């Protein structure tokens, strides 16, 4: 039996019409902050921080309920696609099982 599940969502967004980093941050950062406030997630800007026209956003959550992890990441992906003034070009979800019958917890 699984001890829990860790879910990770990565989303690449592009905004080729943006001309500088300040403008890109003004588009991406508010969406990331609203996502963190709305859902029980850890959210980070992972890659493309020095590029003005794209970025990768990472989202993670942890629970003992696989369905809850899956649904929460789906809601996060939908939120990111709906709320930003950018184009979502790819998304990847991975859910990892923690523990198992053969593993012991503690010493």
């Amino acid at each position: 039996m699984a001890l829990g599940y860790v879910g990770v969502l990565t989303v690449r967004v592009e905004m080729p019409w943006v001309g500088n980093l300040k403008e890109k941050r003004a588009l991406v950062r508010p969406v990331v902050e609203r996502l963190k406030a709305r859902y029980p997630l850890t959210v980070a800007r992972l890659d493309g921080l020095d590029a003005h026209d794209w970025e990768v956003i990472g989202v993670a959550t942890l629970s003992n309920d696989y369905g809850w992890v899956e649904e929460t990441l789906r809601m996060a992906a939908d939120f990111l696609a709906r709320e930003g003034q950018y184009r979502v070009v790819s998304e990847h979800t991975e859910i990892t099982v923690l523990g198992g019958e053969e593993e012991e917890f503690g010493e």
Side-chain angles (χ1 to χ4, degrees), residues 35-94:
L35 181 61
K36 287 194 282 190
R38 179 168 287 199
Y39 299 103
L41 301 164
T42 298
V43 184
R45 297 167 59 214
L46 299 176
D47 197 9
L49 300 178
D50 293 331
H52 71 278
D53 59 347
W54 68 275
E55 191 159 312
V56 175
I57 301 167
V59 177
T61 193
L62 169 73
S63 176
N64 65 343
D65 182 342
Y66 183 91
W68 185 88
V69 170
E70 187 176 46
E71 179 62 22
T72 301
L73 293 178
R74 171 60 22 224
M75 289 188 298
D78 292 346
F79 183 88
L80 286 168
R82 179 179 67 246
E83 295 294 319
Q85 294 179 352
Y86 45 68
R87 182 175 58 230
V88 173
V89 294
S90 68
E91 68 178 61
H92 176 74
T93 301
E94 185 174 332

